[in-house]
Structures are given as C-alpha cells and as structure tokens.
Amino acid sequence: AQKITQTQPGMFVQEKEAVTLDCTYDTSDPSYGLFWYKQPSSGEMIFLIYQGSYDQQNATEGRYSLNFQKARKSANLVISASQLGDSAMYFCAMSSLYGNNRLAFGKGNQVVVIP
Amino acid sequence: NAGVTQTPKFRVLKTGQSMTLLCAQDMNHEYMYWYRQDPGMGLRLIHYSVGEGTTAKGEVPDGYNVSRLKKQNFLLGLESAAPSQTSVYFCASSGQTGNTYGYTFGSGTRLTVV
C-alpha cells in the first residue's frame, strides 16, 4: 500500500521568500511517480511538478523544484520567490504502475503568502 | 479542448435520495478515477476504472457504485445518500502510462446531503 505523509501545520510565508513543503512517502513498489498539486480557494487541482523514482536529477518547473531524497523517501516541494497567488493548499501524491496508476494523496499543506 | 468535465457542479440531496455524477473525458484516456475530498483528509479514492467495462474499489467505496460503459464516461452513483457523503467529488483520468504527467482532473462537484 502507498502512504503519503504531510504533517506541517498551516504556513505563513513572506512574499518573495522561498518556502519548503515536506512530503514523505512509503511504498514497496520499485517504480513510482511523485507529484505535487496546488489547490487554490477556487477548488481546482493544478498539476505543478513530477518526479519519477528512477530520475537521477531533481525535477524543476519554473519556480517549483522537487527535492527528491529516495533513500529517505522524501519528496519536498520548494517554491522560490513566493507570490501572493501561491496562497493555496498543496498536495503531495504518488502513483505506481503496480497500483494501476492510482494517485494516493497526502492530507495537504496550507500556505498563505503575506505581502 | 474540454479535458475532464463533471456534471453537476453543485447538488443538494435529502437523506435517502439517489443521484448520479457524470464524468466525461475527451482525451481517450484508459484510466478514470473518482475521489472525494473532505476537510483535512486530502483526496481519497472511491472507485476507479482501468478501461471500458471495468471498475474496481478504491480506498472508500462503501455507499457508492460506478459504471464505465463507454470509454469516455465514468459514472458515480449514490443509491441512498447519507449526510456522511457530503463532500467535494473529483473525477480524474490518465493515460495507460499514467505514471508520468498525464493526470487530468475535473473541476469538482460539491454535494451536500441534508
């Protein structure tokens, strides 16, 4: 079974500062993918970044980067230069081919960016 | 390019009533999923389908049924709604090699059972 853990309480971040959101996971599957999604107050799920378990380099997408530490089973999201529009819930998720591609989600981190 | 469309967007039901939520995708995706989202719980998988004519149980299937008669549609049914089923429901789809970027979510259905 796959398990995603996000335990940080709600976070306040100063605009233009960087923020790191923690995510740890547990799986016995040898091949898996890790995702981060953003959910603003409007409710839609927005894909941010993906990391494959066999990828050698950490994924980056614009201001988003994923700090992947396979041995520690962690996949932290780093948002650089926070903007007011980054205020949202952020979800870490995992899937695996052995799991029929089902996405398993963590409980989310609330981020509020303050000017 | 619609992606994943969920109908309805909002619904209020009385306890014991039934309803069907429709999810339609136009990306020819093999896999489709139904999730529910409750405060502080993240998204939890209700049922999913790996292809036309197939369905399987997810993490929280009780009280729900699903059907995938056509590849593009995935229906979620509540036969006898309960207040505990008040939630936001999301449908998603992915390609056969969904273990990459290929998940697309609908905009959600907010269901209230009174």
Side-chain angles (χ1 to χ4, degrees):
Chain A
Q2 300 165 329
K3 185 178 178 181
I4 301 288
T5 303
Q6 295 177 261
T7 57
Q8 286 168 302
M11 304 174 69
F12 289 92
V13 180
Q14 200 75 41
E15 196 177 8
K16 300 180 184 177
E17 297 286 311
V19 58
T20 298
L21 304 180
D22 296 338
C23 172
T24 58
Y25 61 91
D26 191 19
T27 182
S28 56
D29 294 335
S31 177
Y32 51 88
L34 295 157
F35 302 75
W36 278 91
Y37 285 86
K38 172 184 178 181
Q39 187 179 44
S41 58
S42 53
E44 70 268 31
M45 297 294 289
I46 301 169
F47 166 75
L48 295 179
I49 196 166
Y50 165 83
Q51 177 86 41
S53 59
Y54 288 111
D55 293 342
Q56 295 297 314
Q57 293 194 326
N58 287 342
T60 61
E61 290 285 349
R63 294 186 298 110
Y64 304 106
S65 60
L66 199 152
N67 184 2
F68 180 47
Q69 298 187 43
K70 192 172 183 177
R72 299 178 66 179
K73 293 188 175 180
S74 77
N76 298 341
L77 176 71
V78 180
I79 306 173
S80 62
S82 296
Q83 302 172 355
L84 296 178
D86 293 334
S87 295
M89 281 289 289
Y90 289 83
F91 292 97
C92 182
M94 161 190 278
S95 74
S96 76
L97 289 173
Y98 295 92
N100 283 323
N101 293 338
R102 291 168 291 175
L103 267 179
F105 284 85
K107 294 184 178 182
N109 295 109
Q110 180 72 53
V111 173
V112 176
V113 180
I114 53 177
Chain B
N1 223 3
V4 174
T5 302
Q6 291 182 233
T7 53
K9 295 192 184 310
F10 303 93
R11 185 73 186 268
V12 178
L13 282 180
K14 292 183 179 179
T15 298
Q17 286 185 320
S18 63
M19 79 164 294
T20 300
L21 281 68
L22 171 64
C23 177
Q25 53 98 359
D26 61 2
M27 297 166 288
N28 202 34
H29 280 168
E30 290 293 333
Y31 293 71
M32 296 187 75
Y33 317 85
W34 275 108
Y35 290 90
R36 62 177 288 173
Q37 183 178 23
D38 303 296
M41 297 298 293
L43 276 74
R44 293 181 292 170
L45 184 65
I46 305 171
H47 286 282
Y48 65 101
S49 168
V50 301
E52 181 178 312
T54 76
T55 63
K57 294 180 180 180
E59 185 184 356
V60 288
D62 293 342
Y64 305 94
N65 56 75
V66 287
S67 65
R68 183 104 180 264
L69 298 179
K70 294 182 178 181
K71 186 176 184 178
Q72 64 267 33
N73 295 337
F74 195 30
L75 278 63
L76 178 70
L78 287 73
E79 289 187 348
S80 180
S84 61
Q85 294 178 303
T86 294
S87 189
V88 179
Y89 293 84
F90 285 97
C91 177
S93 69
S94 69
Q96 198 160 7
T97 53
N99 196 24
T100 53
Y101 305 85
Y103 294 91
T104 304
F105 281 84
S107 58
T109 296
R110 186 173 294 274
L111 175 66
T112 302
V113 182
V114 297

